Amino acid sequence: MTFGTRLKELRQLKNISQMQLSIMTGISQSAIAKWELNKTEPTASALITLSKFFDESVDYLLGIED
């Protein structure tokens, strides 16, 4: 599973929009959209922010572990 797919899945499980996730994490909505479309990859600091927000490991977010 790609990072973008995993991110979209987690976001939808929380029933929040890309814009809501952006506001809650301080990450731009355009970055989130590009990640979900697998156009770009997140920085290490963005991965840590998302890991804390979703309470999931970075390995899980990256699809390394289930």
Side-chain angles (χ1 to χ4, degrees):
M1 181 173 289
T2 66
F3 169 76
T5 304
R6 177 91 11 116
L7 175 60
K8 186 173 183 176
E9 178 184 89
L10 288 169
R11 183 178 59 75
Q12 290 176 335
L13 284 172
K14 282 195 174 275
N15 198 31
I16 58 175
S17 67
Q18 289 179 350
M19 185 55 73
Q20 289 169 314
L21 179 59
S22 171
I23 292 166
M24 290 186 246
T25 60
I27 298 169
S28 74
Q29 186 272 328
S30 62
I32 293 166
K34 288 176 186 175
W35 296 337
E36 289 188 1
L37 293 171
N38 295 307
K39 290 188 174 188
T40 61
E41 294 182 354
T43 62
S45 61
L47 283 170
I48 292 167
T49 299
L50 292 169
S51 174
K52 289 178 181 177
F53 179 80
F54 289 113
D55 194 29
E56 295 288 352
S57 70
V58 171
D59 283 354
Y60 180 80
L61 291 176
L62 294 174
I64 295 169
E65 63 180 40
D66 288 330

